[in-house]
Amino acid sequence: MGIYVHIPFCEKKCYYCDFHSVVVGDLTHFAKVTDDYLISVRKEALYYKKQWGNKSLSTLFIGGGTPTSLPPQKLASLIRFILHEFPFAENPEVTIEANPHTIHLNDAKILASAGVNRVSIGAQSFQNNLLQSMGRLHRSDQIEKSVLRFKEAGIDNVNLDLMFGLPEQTINDWKDTLMSALSLKPTHLSCYGLILEPGTPFAIWEAKGILRFPTDDDQAEMFEIAREVLVKSGYEHYEISNFCKPRFEARHNLLYWMNMPFIGLGSGATGYLNRRRYTNIAKISEYIKGWMNDCPIYERESLISEKQEMDETMMVGMRLLQGVSEIDFMERYGMSFFEVYPLEIEGLLNKGLVELVNGKLRVTKQGLYLENMVSGAFLP
Ligand code: SF4
């Protein structure tokens, strides 16, 4: 079980992004806002500490936004505070997200000394023209520099986020990005196909015909190329979009894919505790106002029934290539998934989208490309 902390600040909004973040330059008194924000996160942490009790935690993930847009000393202090206040097990995975141009060697050392042992770098592409067209602020040479700085600071467990399906991106661009990423020897690679989120500049420009995007077939080919290249290079394809060197799975993300409880801290963050899912108010000033009065403000809050949790466990679990274990499911819910979803599973088996291997229900290669259909089968 783990803790997620959302740091909702970015230097600039990327053209495809609909994550919750505000642009630093748009905030008056940025230092004051971030100080108040970090105080609020600490208050929220203490609030959930009481509810959490003595159960052991194994992961801490600082995401965003761009966490490294904050001064590293302030981030380090927050990380130390959380690691100290909660009952973390030995050797927890402590991850921070970073953008390549926002990290200097000294910053990386400060973060490492606070306990950070894994970094997830938003590389996205190694073509400068594509980075520019996405609205990213870094250049490709800064990706290598940031990886080297983290490694020099002692943080060897490095994930690179890569994107395919970008406007004007060719198959060769994608191959080149994969090879450049491999040359940096990351332990983990996340390869995401671009999704046009409504309201983003990319979606607007696509609708107006200003930008041309690779076709669905091109995207499928890029995904297949990633699988081939990365698996050949010794990476395990363990989740639809994620690849890792043996034993370097993202432990924090595994919690989500196994539908386990976690605490979410920060504006817009979601948490799942005692069968209750909550999403914090996204507006930063409101979030701060709530905690200045020692009171959470939620955007959404719902109780999750056991059946809903089962549905979600199957839906997210089918993203993992190892699939969902029948024994684990029985231990958790007292019955087999075959009893709960007889028709759904039969339908997927007949279509060749899933298979049962060593007691685990998992997607087939064909199912991999129709993952939405597989997960969707477990929607009520
Ligand atoms: S840096 Fe990340 S969170 Fe910030 S705007 Fe870009 S994609 Fe979104």
PDB file of all heavy atoms in Angstrom, residues 271-307:
ATOM      1  N   GLY A 271      -7.756   9.235  -3.646  1.00  0.00           N
ATOM      2  CA  GLY A 271      -7.304   8.196  -2.724  1.00  0.00           C
ATOM      3  C   GLY A 271      -8.367   7.124  -2.595  1.00  0.00           C
ATOM      4  O   GLY A 271      -9.531   7.317  -2.991  1.00  0.00           O
ATOM      5  N   TYR A 272      -7.976   5.982  -2.068  1.00  0.00           N
ATOM      6  CA  TYR A 272      -8.924   4.873  -1.890  1.00  0.00           C
ATOM      7  C   TYR A 272      -8.628   4.206  -0.547  1.00  0.00           C
ATOM      8  O   TYR A 272      -7.602   3.547  -0.386  1.00  0.00           O
ATOM      9  CB  TYR A 272      -8.770   3.877  -3.052  1.00  0.00           C
ATOM     10  CG  TYR A 272      -9.763   2.747  -3.016  1.00  0.00           C
ATOM     11  CD1 TYR A 272     -11.109   2.986  -2.769  1.00  0.00           C
ATOM     12  CD2 TYR A 272      -9.368   1.428  -3.230  1.00  0.00           C
ATOM     13  CE1 TYR A 272     -12.033   1.957  -2.736  1.00  0.00           C
ATOM     14  CE2 TYR A 272     -10.278   0.384  -3.204  1.00  0.00           C
ATOM     15  CZ  TYR A 272     -11.613   0.659  -2.955  1.00  0.00           C
ATOM     16  OH  TYR A 272     -12.527  -0.364  -2.913  1.00  0.00           O
ATOM     17  N   LEU A 273      -9.521   4.449   0.393  1.00  0.00           N
ATOM     18  CA  LEU A 273      -9.277   4.013   1.773  1.00  0.00           C
ATOM     19  C   LEU A 273     -10.544   3.434   2.365  1.00  0.00           C
ATOM     20  O   LEU A 273     -11.601   4.089   2.294  1.00  0.00           O
ATOM     21  CB  LEU A 273      -8.933   5.230   2.633  1.00  0.00           C
ATOM     22  CG  LEU A 273      -7.506   5.574   2.940  1.00  0.00           C
ATOM     23  CD1 LEU A 273      -7.469   6.784   3.855  1.00  0.00           C
ATOM     24  CD2 LEU A 273      -6.834   4.412   3.611  1.00  0.00           C
ATOM     25  N   ASN A 274     -10.459   2.283   2.982  1.00  0.00           N
ATOM     26  CA  ASN A 274     -11.620   1.682   3.649  1.00  0.00           C
ATOM     27  C   ASN A 274     -12.858   1.673   2.751  1.00  0.00           C
ATOM     28  O   ASN A 274     -13.942   2.112   3.144  1.00  0.00           O
ATOM     29  CB  ASN A 274     -11.948   2.418   4.952  1.00  0.00           C
ATOM     30  CG  ASN A 274     -10.746   2.462   5.865  1.00  0.00           C
ATOM     31  OD1 ASN A 274      -9.951   1.516   5.887  1.00  0.00           O
ATOM     32  ND2 ASN A 274     -10.582   3.553   6.603  1.00  0.00           N
ATOM     33  N   ARG A 275     -12.668   1.210   1.524  1.00  0.00           N
ATOM     34  CA  ARG A 275     -13.756   1.149   0.523  1.00  0.00           C
ATOM     35  C   ARG A 275     -14.403   2.501   0.249  1.00  0.00           C
ATOM     36  O   ARG A 275     -15.572   2.595  -0.097  1.00  0.00           O
ATOM     37  CB  ARG A 275     -14.842   0.153   0.972  1.00  0.00           C
ATOM     38  CG  ARG A 275     -14.416  -1.294   0.897  1.00  0.00           C
ATOM     39  CD  ARG A 275     -15.072  -1.971  -0.321  1.00  0.00           C
ATOM     40  NE  ARG A 275     -14.451  -3.255  -0.597  1.00  0.00           N
ATOM     41  CZ  ARG A 275     -14.835  -4.384  -0.022  1.00  0.00           C
ATOM     42  NH1 ARG A 275     -15.817  -4.389   0.834  1.00  0.00           N
ATOM     43  NH2 ARG A 275     -14.227  -5.507  -0.326  1.00  0.00           N
ATOM     44  N   ARG A 276     -13.644   3.560   0.417  1.00  0.00           N
ATOM     45  CA  ARG A 276     -14.157   4.896   0.118  1.00  0.00           C
ATOM     46  C   ARG A 276     -13.180   5.548  -0.851  1.00  0.00           C
ATOM     47  O   ARG A 276     -11.978   5.568  -0.598  1.00  0.00           O
ATOM     48  CB  ARG A 276     -14.243   5.706   1.404  1.00  0.00           C
ATOM     49  CG  ARG A 276     -14.810   7.083   1.245  1.00  0.00           C
ATOM     50  CD  ARG A 276     -14.858   7.795   2.591  1.00  0.00           C
ATOM     51  NE  ARG A 276     -14.500   9.188   2.430  1.00  0.00           N
ATOM     52  CZ  ARG A 276     -13.281   9.686   2.597  1.00  0.00           C
ATOM     53  NH1 ARG A 276     -12.286   8.916   2.963  1.00  0.00           N
ATOM     54  NH2 ARG A 276     -13.046  10.961   2.396  1.00  0.00           N
ATOM     55  N   ARG A 277     -13.712   6.012  -1.982  1.00  0.00           N
ATOM     56  CA  ARG A 277     -12.838   6.694  -2.942  1.00  0.00           C
ATOM     57  C   ARG A 277     -13.134   8.186  -2.866  1.00  0.00           C
ATOM     58  O   ARG A 277     -14.295   8.599  -2.832  1.00  0.00           O
ATOM     59  CB  ARG A 277     -13.090   6.175  -4.360  1.00  0.00           C
ATOM     60  CG  ARG A 277     -12.239   6.895  -5.395  1.00  0.00           C
ATOM     61  CD  ARG A 277     -12.112   6.140  -6.700  1.00  0.00           C
ATOM     62  NE  ARG A 277     -11.383   4.904  -6.530  1.00  0.00           N
ATOM     63  CZ  ARG A 277     -11.873   3.701  -6.789  1.00  0.00           C
ATOM     64  NH1 ARG A 277     -13.098   3.573  -7.237  1.00  0.00           N
ATOM     65  NH2 ARG A 277     -11.150   2.615  -6.596  1.00  0.00           N
ATOM     66  N   TYR A 278     -12.064   8.962  -2.797  1.00  0.00           N
ATOM     67  CA  TYR A 278     -12.275  10.414  -2.744  1.00  0.00           C
ATOM     68  C   TYR A 278     -11.371  11.105  -3.760  1.00  0.00           C
ATOM     69  O   TYR A 278     -10.300  10.600  -4.101  1.00  0.00           O
ATOM     70  CB  TYR A 278     -11.985  10.966  -1.332  1.00  0.00           C
ATOM     71  CG  TYR A 278     -10.557  10.767  -0.884  1.00  0.00           C
ATOM     72  CD1 TYR A 278      -9.557  11.696  -1.196  1.00  0.00           C
ATOM     73  CD2 TYR A 278     -10.191   9.634  -0.169  1.00  0.00           C
ATOM     74  CE1 TYR A 278      -8.246  11.516  -0.791  1.00  0.00           C
ATOM     75  CE2 TYR A 278      -8.868   9.438   0.237  1.00  0.00           C
ATOM     76  CZ  TYR A 278      -7.909  10.377  -0.074  1.00  0.00           C
ATOM     77  OH  TYR A 278      -6.603  10.176   0.313  1.00  0.00           O
ATOM     78  N   THR A 279     -11.845  12.236  -4.256  1.00  0.00           N
ATOM     79  CA  THR A 279     -11.000  13.095  -5.092  1.00  0.00           C
ATOM     80  C   THR A 279     -11.032  14.479  -4.475  1.00  0.00           C
ATOM     81  O   THR A 279     -12.111  15.062  -4.286  1.00  0.00           O
ATOM     82  CB  THR A 279     -11.525  13.153  -6.542  1.00  0.00           C
ATOM     83  OG1 THR A 279     -11.545  11.818  -7.053  1.00  0.00           O
ATOM     84  CG2 THR A 279     -10.629  14.001  -7.427  1.00  0.00           C
ATOM     85  N   ASN A 280      -9.867  14.979  -4.138  1.00  0.00           N
ATOM     86  CA  ASN A 280      -9.786  16.295  -3.500  1.00  0.00           C
ATOM     87  C   ASN A 280     -10.164  17.404  -4.464  1.00  0.00           C
ATOM     88  O   ASN A 280     -10.000  17.268  -5.690  1.00  0.00           O
ATOM     89  CB  ASN A 280      -8.358  16.554  -3.018  1.00  0.00           C
ATOM     90  CG  ASN A 280      -8.017  15.719  -1.806  1.00  0.00           C
ATOM     91  OD1 ASN A 280      -8.905  15.282  -1.067  1.00  0.00           O
ATOM     92  ND2 ASN A 280      -6.733  15.492  -1.591  1.00  0.00           N
ATOM     93  N   ILE A 281     -10.621  18.502  -3.886  1.00  0.00           N
ATOM     94  CA  ILE A 281     -10.916  19.687  -4.700  1.00  0.00           C
ATOM     95  C   ILE A 281      -9.654  20.058  -5.489  1.00  0.00           C
ATOM     96  O   ILE A 281      -8.538  20.010  -4.957  1.00  0.00           O
ATOM     97  CB  ILE A 281     -11.384  20.857  -3.799  1.00  0.00           C
ATOM     98  CG1 ILE A 281     -11.820  22.065  -4.629  1.00  0.00           C
ATOM     99  CG2 ILE A 281     -10.323  21.312  -2.806  1.00  0.00           C
ATOM    100  CD1 ILE A 281     -13.272  22.098  -4.851  1.00  0.00           C
ATOM    101  N   ALA A 282      -9.846  20.377  -6.781  1.00  0.00           N
ATOM    102  CA  ALA A 282      -8.671  20.643  -7.618  1.00  0.00           C
ATOM    103  C   ALA A 282      -8.159  22.076  -7.459  1.00  0.00           C
ATOM    104  O   ALA A 282      -6.952  22.309  -7.509  1.00  0.00           O
ATOM    105  CB  ALA A 282      -9.015  20.372  -9.080  1.00  0.00           C
ATOM    106  N   LYS A 283      -9.062  22.995  -7.230  1.00  0.00           N
ATOM    107  CA  LYS A 283      -8.637  24.412  -7.169  1.00  0.00           C
ATOM    108  C   LYS A 283      -7.703  24.591  -5.968  1.00  0.00           C
ATOM    109  O   LYS A 283      -8.080  24.328  -4.815  1.00  0.00           O
ATOM    110  CB  LYS A 283      -9.873  25.309  -7.050  1.00  0.00           C
ATOM    111  CG  LYS A 283      -9.582  26.715  -7.418  1.00  0.00           C
ATOM    112  CD  LYS A 283     -10.843  27.536  -7.561  1.00  0.00           C
ATOM    113  CE  LYS A 283     -10.428  28.955  -7.864  1.00  0.00           C
ATOM    114  NZ  LYS A 283     -11.423  29.911  -7.507  1.00  0.00           N
ATOM    115  N   ILE A 284      -6.490  25.062  -6.265  1.00  0.00           N
ATOM    116  CA  ILE A 284      -5.453  25.100  -5.224  1.00  0.00           C
ATOM    117  C   ILE A 284      -5.856  26.005  -4.057  1.00  0.00           C
ATOM    118  O   ILE A 284      -5.692  25.632  -2.890  1.00  0.00           O
ATOM    119  CB  ILE A 284      -4.113  25.546  -5.845  1.00  0.00           C
ATOM    120  CG1 ILE A 284      -3.660  24.479  -6.856  1.00  0.00           C
ATOM    121  CG2 ILE A 284      -3.042  25.743  -4.779  1.00  0.00           C
ATOM    122  CD1 ILE A 284      -2.504  24.918  -7.727  1.00  0.00           C
ATOM    123  N   SER A 285      -6.423  27.162  -4.359  1.00  0.00           N
ATOM    124  CA  SER A 285      -6.784  28.089  -3.270  1.00  0.00           C
ATOM    125  C   SER A 285      -7.853  27.466  -2.367  1.00  0.00           C
ATOM    126  O   SER A 285      -7.826  27.645  -1.145  1.00  0.00           O
ATOM    127  CB  SER A 285      -7.265  29.423  -3.849  1.00  0.00           C
ATOM    128  OG  SER A 285      -8.347  29.187  -4.723  1.00  0.00           O
ATOM    129  N   GLU A 286      -8.773  26.703  -2.955  1.00  0.00           N
ATOM    130  CA  GLU A 286      -9.829  26.062  -2.153  1.00  0.00           C
ATOM    131  C   GLU A 286      -9.250  24.942  -1.301  1.00  0.00           C
ATOM    132  O   GLU A 286      -9.622  24.750  -0.142  1.00  0.00           O
ATOM    133  CB  GLU A 286     -10.925  25.492  -3.071  1.00  0.00           C
ATOM    134  CG  GLU A 286     -11.735  26.536  -3.785  1.00  0.00           C
ATOM    135  CD  GLU A 286     -12.562  27.373  -2.813  1.00  0.00           C
ATOM    136  OE1 GLU A 286     -13.293  26.786  -2.007  1.00  0.00           O
ATOM    137  OE2 GLU A 286     -12.436  28.610  -2.858  1.00  0.00           O
ATOM    138  N   TYR A 287      -8.339  24.197  -1.922  1.00  0.00           N
ATOM    139  CA  TYR A 287      -7.682  23.104  -1.186  1.00  0.00           C
ATOM    140  C   TYR A 287      -6.955  23.667   0.048  1.00  0.00           C
ATOM    141  O   TYR A 287      -7.086  23.156   1.163  1.00  0.00           O
ATOM    142  CB  TYR A 287      -6.706  22.384  -2.127  1.00  0.00           C
ATOM    143  CG  TYR A 287      -5.813  21.375  -1.434  1.00  0.00           C
ATOM    144  CD1 TYR A 287      -6.281  20.107  -1.100  1.00  0.00           C
ATOM    145  CD2 TYR A 287      -4.502  21.707  -1.102  1.00  0.00           C
ATOM    146  CE1 TYR A 287      -5.460  19.205  -0.440  1.00  0.00           C
ATOM    147  CE2 TYR A 287      -3.677  20.817  -0.457  1.00  0.00           C
ATOM    148  CZ  TYR A 287      -4.164  19.549  -0.121  1.00  0.00           C
ATOM    149  OH  TYR A 287      -3.348  18.666   0.538  1.00  0.00           O
ATOM    150  N   ILE A 288      -6.212  24.765  -0.177  1.00  0.00           N
ATOM    151  CA  ILE A 288      -5.468  25.382   0.928  1.00  0.00           C
ATOM    152  C   ILE A 288      -6.452  25.913   1.986  1.00  0.00           C
ATOM    153  O   ILE A 288      -6.269  25.700   3.194  1.00  0.00           O
ATOM    154  CB  ILE A 288      -4.555  26.510   0.404  1.00  0.00           C
ATOM    155  CG1 ILE A 288      -3.427  25.914  -0.450  1.00  0.00           C
ATOM    156  CG2 ILE A 288      -3.977  27.337   1.552  1.00  0.00           C
ATOM    157  CD1 ILE A 288      -2.566  26.938  -1.165  1.00  0.00           C
ATOM    158  N   LYS A 289      -7.508  26.563   1.520  1.00  0.00           N
ATOM    159  CA  LYS A 289      -8.497  27.130   2.450  1.00  0.00           C
ATOM    160  C   LYS A 289      -9.063  26.030   3.348  1.00  0.00           C
ATOM    161  O   LYS A 289      -9.198  26.197   4.562  1.00  0.00           O
ATOM    162  CB  LYS A 289      -9.627  27.787   1.646  1.00  0.00           C
ATOM    163  CG  LYS A 289     -10.363  28.861   2.406  1.00  0.00           C
ATOM    164  CD  LYS A 289     -11.041  29.813   1.445  1.00  0.00           C
ATOM    165  CE  LYS A 289     -12.520  29.523   1.365  1.00  0.00           C
ATOM    166  NZ  LYS A 289     -13.180  30.239   0.289  1.00  0.00           N
ATOM    167  N   GLY A 290      -9.369  24.890   2.735  1.00  0.00           N
ATOM    168  CA  GLY A 290      -9.902  23.773   3.525  1.00  0.00           C
ATOM    169  C   GLY A 290      -8.953  23.368   4.638  1.00  0.00           C
ATOM    170  O   GLY A 290      -9.343  23.252   5.811  1.00  0.00           O
ATOM    171  N   TRP A 291      -7.687  23.193   4.290  1.00  0.00           N
ATOM    172  CA  TRP A 291      -6.745  22.685   5.301  1.00  0.00           C
ATOM    173  C   TRP A 291      -6.320  23.745   6.297  1.00  0.00           C
ATOM    174  O   TRP A 291      -5.890  23.423   7.404  1.00  0.00           O
ATOM    175  CB  TRP A 291      -5.542  22.002   4.628  1.00  0.00           C
ATOM    176  CG  TRP A 291      -5.999  20.675   4.119  1.00  0.00           C
ATOM    177  CD1 TRP A 291      -6.209  20.314   2.828  1.00  0.00           C
ATOM    178  CD2 TRP A 291      -6.423  19.557   4.912  1.00  0.00           C
ATOM    179  NE1 TRP A 291      -6.722  19.047   2.756  1.00  0.00           N
ATOM    180  CE2 TRP A 291      -6.861  18.560   4.012  1.00  0.00           C
ATOM    181  CE3 TRP A 291      -6.492  19.299   6.286  1.00  0.00           C
ATOM    182  CZ2 TRP A 291      -7.349  17.326   4.452  1.00  0.00           C
ATOM    183  CZ3 TRP A 291      -6.971  18.072   6.721  1.00  0.00           C
ATOM    184  CH2 TRP A 291      -7.383  17.105   5.813  1.00  0.00           C
ATOM    185  N   MET A 292      -6.470  25.043   5.921  1.00  0.00           N
ATOM    186  CA  MET A 292      -6.204  26.087   6.914  1.00  0.00           C
ATOM    187  C   MET A 292      -7.266  26.016   8.019  1.00  0.00           C
ATOM    188  O   MET A 292      -7.072  26.459   9.134  1.00  0.00           O
ATOM    189  CB  MET A 292      -6.182  27.486   6.261  1.00  0.00           C
ATOM    190  CG  MET A 292      -4.956  27.687   5.371  1.00  0.00           C
ATOM    191  SD  MET A 292      -3.407  27.363   6.255  1.00  0.00           S
ATOM    192  CE  MET A 292      -2.290  26.886   4.967  1.00  0.00           C
ATOM    193  N   ASN A 293      -8.419  25.406   7.667  1.00  0.00           N
ATOM    194  CA  ASN A 293      -9.473  25.173   8.681  1.00  0.00           C
ATOM    195  C   ASN A 293      -9.495  23.707   9.122  1.00  0.00           C
ATOM    196  O   ASN A 293     -10.502  23.215   9.627  1.00  0.00           O
ATOM    197  CB  ASN A 293     -10.841  25.550   8.106  1.00  0.00           C
ATOM    198  CG  ASN A 293     -10.937  27.038   7.851  1.00  0.00           C
ATOM    199  OD1 ASN A 293     -10.592  27.829   8.714  1.00  0.00           O
ATOM    200  ND2 ASN A 293     -11.352  27.415   6.653  1.00  0.00           N
ATOM    201  N   ASP A 294      -8.401  22.993   8.840  1.00  0.00           N
ATOM    202  CA  ASP A 294      -8.260  21.572   9.227  1.00  0.00           C
ATOM    203  C   ASP A 294      -9.392  20.698   8.713  1.00  0.00           C
ATOM    204  O   ASP A 294      -9.891  19.818   9.425  1.00  0.00           O
ATOM    205  CB  ASP A 294      -8.166  21.446  10.760  1.00  0.00           C
ATOM    206  CG  ASP A 294      -6.879  22.077  11.265  1.00  0.00           C
ATOM    207  OD1 ASP A 294      -5.830  21.810  10.671  1.00  0.00           O
ATOM    208  OD2 ASP A 294      -6.951  22.872  12.215  1.00  0.00           O
ATOM    209  N   CYS A 295      -9.776  20.925   7.481  1.00  0.00           N
ATOM    210  CA  CYS A 295     -10.936  20.179   6.979  1.00  0.00           C
ATOM    211  C   CYS A 295     -10.757  19.882   5.488  1.00  0.00           C
ATOM    212  O   CYS A 295     -10.454  20.787   4.706  1.00  0.00           O
ATOM    213  CB  CYS A 295     -12.156  21.056   7.241  1.00  0.00           C
ATOM    214  SG  CYS A 295     -13.599  20.541   6.394  1.00  0.00           S
ATOM    215  N   PRO A 296     -10.928  18.618   5.090  1.00  0.00           N
ATOM    216  CA  PRO A 296     -10.791  18.304   3.661  1.00  0.00           C
ATOM    217  C   PRO A 296     -11.974  18.828   2.861  1.00  0.00           C
ATOM    218  O   PRO A 296     -13.090  18.882   3.369  1.00  0.00           O
ATOM    219  CB  PRO A 296     -10.786  16.762   3.644  1.00  0.00           C
ATOM    220  CG  PRO A 296     -11.452  16.344   4.900  1.00  0.00           C
ATOM    221  CD  PRO A 296     -11.266  17.444   5.908  1.00  0.00           C
ATOM    222  N   ILE A 297     -11.711  19.222   1.620  1.00  0.00           N
ATOM    223  CA  ILE A 297     -12.820  19.561   0.709  1.00  0.00           C
ATOM    224  C   ILE A 297     -12.694  18.619  -0.494  1.00  0.00           C
ATOM    225  O   ILE A 297     -11.637  18.562  -1.129  1.00  0.00           O
ATOM    226  CB  ILE A 297     -12.750  21.022   0.226  1.00  0.00           C
ATOM    227  CG1 ILE A 297     -12.759  21.971   1.429  1.00  0.00           C
ATOM    228  CG2 ILE A 297     -13.915  21.336  -0.699  1.00  0.00           C
ATOM    229  CD1 ILE A 297     -12.698  23.448   1.062  1.00  0.00           C
ATOM    230  N   TYR A 298     -13.752  17.881  -0.730  1.00  0.00           N
ATOM    231  CA  TYR A 298     -13.708  16.885  -1.812  1.00  0.00           C
ATOM    232  C   TYR A 298     -14.457  17.375  -3.037  1.00  0.00           C
ATOM    233  O   TYR A 298     -15.487  18.045  -2.929  1.00  0.00           O
ATOM    234  CB  TYR A 298     -14.343  15.573  -1.347  1.00  0.00           C
ATOM    235  CG  TYR A 298     -13.630  14.947  -0.178  1.00  0.00           C
ATOM    236  CD1 TYR A 298     -14.268  14.811   1.056  1.00  0.00           C
ATOM    237  CD2 TYR A 298     -12.312  14.512  -0.298  1.00  0.00           C
ATOM    238  CE1 TYR A 298     -13.608  14.246   2.145  1.00  0.00           C
ATOM    239  CE2 TYR A 298     -11.646  13.954   0.783  1.00  0.00           C
ATOM    240  CZ  TYR A 298     -12.296  13.817   2.004  1.00  0.00           C
ATOM    241  OH  TYR A 298     -11.646  13.278   3.067  1.00  0.00           O
ATOM    242  N   GLU A 299     -13.927  16.974  -4.182  1.00  0.00           N
ATOM    243  CA  GLU A 299     -14.658  17.217  -5.423  1.00  0.00           C
ATOM    244  C   GLU A 299     -15.662  16.077  -5.621  1.00  0.00           C
ATOM    245  O   GLU A 299     -16.777  16.277  -6.059  1.00  0.00           O
ATOM    246  CB  GLU A 299     -13.662  17.247  -6.595  1.00  0.00           C
ATOM    247  CG  GLU A 299     -14.183  17.969  -7.787  1.00  0.00           C
ATOM    248  CD  GLU A 299     -13.088  18.824  -8.397  1.00  0.00           C
ATOM    249  OE1 GLU A 299     -12.701  19.827  -7.765  1.00  0.00           O
ATOM    250  OE2 GLU A 299     -12.619  18.475  -9.475  1.00  0.00           O
ATOM    251  N   ARG A 300     -15.211  14.869  -5.276  1.00  0.00           N
ATOM    252  CA  ARG A 300     -16.063  13.680  -5.371  1.00  0.00           C
ATOM    253  C   ARG A 300     -15.724  12.751  -4.222  1.00  0.00           C
ATOM    254  O   ARG A 300     -14.582  12.680  -3.775  1.00  0.00           O
ATOM    255  CB  ARG A 300     -15.799  12.909  -6.676  1.00  0.00           C
ATOM    256  CG  ARG A 300     -16.441  13.497  -7.892  1.00  0.00           C
ATOM    257  CD  ARG A 300     -16.258  12.581  -9.106  1.00  0.00           C
ATOM    258  NE  ARG A 300     -14.846  12.368  -9.425  1.00  0.00           N
ATOM    259  CZ  ARG A 300     -14.087  13.243 -10.069  1.00  0.00           C
ATOM    260  NH1 ARG A 300     -14.593  14.385 -10.460  1.00  0.00           N
ATOM    261  NH2 ARG A 300     -12.827  12.998 -10.313  1.00  0.00           N
ATOM    262  N   GLU A 301     -16.720  11.994  -3.800  1.00  0.00           N
ATOM    263  CA  GLU A 301     -16.513  11.053  -2.709  1.00  0.00           C
ATOM    264  C   GLU A 301     -17.541   9.964  -2.891  1.00  0.00           C
ATOM    265  O   GLU A 301     -18.726  10.249  -3.090  1.00  0.00           O
ATOM    266  CB  GLU A 301     -16.803  11.810  -1.401  1.00  0.00           C
ATOM    267  CG  GLU A 301     -16.065  11.316  -0.219  1.00  0.00           C
ATOM    268  CD  GLU A 301     -16.530  12.009   1.050  1.00  0.00           C
ATOM    269  OE1 GLU A 301     -17.231  13.042   0.984  1.00  0.00           O
ATOM    270  OE2 GLU A 301     -16.199  11.479   2.114  1.00  0.00           O
ATOM    271  N   SER A 302     -17.137   8.695  -2.844  1.00  0.00           N
ATOM    272  CA  SER A 302     -18.160   7.648  -2.955  1.00  0.00           C
ATOM    273  C   SER A 302     -17.736   6.399  -2.210  1.00  0.00           C
ATOM    274  O   SER A 302     -16.536   6.094  -2.099  1.00  0.00           O
ATOM    275  CB  SER A 302     -18.427   7.306  -4.431  1.00  0.00           C
ATOM    276  OG  SER A 302     -17.215   7.009  -5.072  1.00  0.00           O
ATOM    277  N   LEU A 303     -18.739   5.705  -1.695  1.00  0.00           N
ATOM    278  CA  LEU A 303     -18.467   4.413  -1.057  1.00  0.00           C
ATOM    279  C   LEU A 303     -18.506   3.355  -2.144  1.00  0.00           C
ATOM    280  O   LEU A 303     -19.365   3.393  -3.030  1.00  0.00           O
ATOM    281  CB  LEU A 303     -19.515   4.130   0.012  1.00  0.00           C
ATOM    282  CG  LEU A 303     -19.437   5.045   1.233  1.00  0.00           C
ATOM    283  CD1 LEU A 303     -20.571   4.745   2.203  1.00  0.00           C
ATOM    284  CD2 LEU A 303     -18.077   4.874   1.948  1.00  0.00           C
ATOM    285  N   ILE A 304     -17.581   2.429  -2.074  1.00  0.00           N
ATOM    286  CA  ILE A 304     -17.475   1.407  -3.116  1.00  0.00           C
ATOM    287  C   ILE A 304     -17.964   0.075  -2.505  1.00  0.00           C
ATOM    288  O   ILE A 304     -17.413  -0.379  -1.496  1.00  0.00           O
ATOM    289  CB  ILE A 304     -15.999   1.268  -3.576  1.00  0.00           C
ATOM    290  CG1 ILE A 304     -15.446   2.624  -4.033  1.00  0.00           C
ATOM    291  CG2 ILE A 304     -15.843   0.211  -4.653  1.00  0.00           C
ATOM    292  CD1 ILE A 304     -16.040   3.204  -5.275  1.00  0.00           C
ATOM    293  N   SER A 305     -18.984  -0.513  -3.121  1.00  0.00           N
ATOM    294  CA  SER A 305     -19.491  -1.796  -2.603  1.00  0.00           C
ATOM    295  C   SER A 305     -18.483  -2.895  -2.946  1.00  0.00           C
ATOM    296  O   SER A 305     -17.589  -2.696  -3.791  1.00  0.00           O
ATOM    297  CB  SER A 305     -20.840  -2.122  -3.234  1.00  0.00           C
ATOM    298  OG  SER A 305     -20.636  -2.409  -4.607  1.00  0.00           O
ATOM    299  N   GLU A 306     -18.690  -4.059  -2.315  1.00  0.00           N
ATOM    300  CA  GLU A 306     -17.762  -5.164  -2.609  1.00  0.00           C
ATOM    301  C   GLU A 306     -17.836  -5.556  -4.080  1.00  0.00           C
ATOM    302  O   GLU A 306     -16.820  -5.819  -4.723  1.00  0.00           O
ATOM    303  CB  GLU A 306     -18.075  -6.366  -1.720  1.00  0.00           C
ATOM    304  CG  GLU A 306     -17.059  -7.472  -1.928  1.00  0.00           C
ATOM    305  CD  GLU A 306     -17.213  -8.612  -0.962  1.00  0.00           C
ATOM    306  OE1 GLU A 306     -18.223  -9.339  -1.072  1.00  0.00           O
ATOM    307  OE2 GLU A 306     -16.319  -8.792  -0.113  1.00  0.00           O
ATOM    308  N   LYS A 307     -19.061  -5.556  -4.643  1.00  0.00           N
ATOM    309  CA  LYS A 307     -19.213  -5.937  -6.054  1.00  0.00           C
ATOM    310  C   LYS A 307     -18.508  -4.919  -6.967  1.00  0.00           C
ATOM    311  O   LYS A 307     -17.828  -5.298  -7.922  1.00  0.00           O
ATOM    312  CB  LYS A 307     -20.710  -6.035  -6.395  1.00  0.00           C
ATOM    313  CG  LYS A 307     -21.000  -6.277  -7.876  1.00  0.00           C
ATOM    314  CD  LYS A 307     -20.466  -7.609  -8.377  1.00  0.00           C
ATOM    315  CE  LYS A 307     -20.937  -7.992  -9.769  1.00  0.00           C
ATOM    316  NZ  LYS A 307     -20.641  -7.056 -10.811  1.00  0.00           N
TER     317      LYS A 307
END
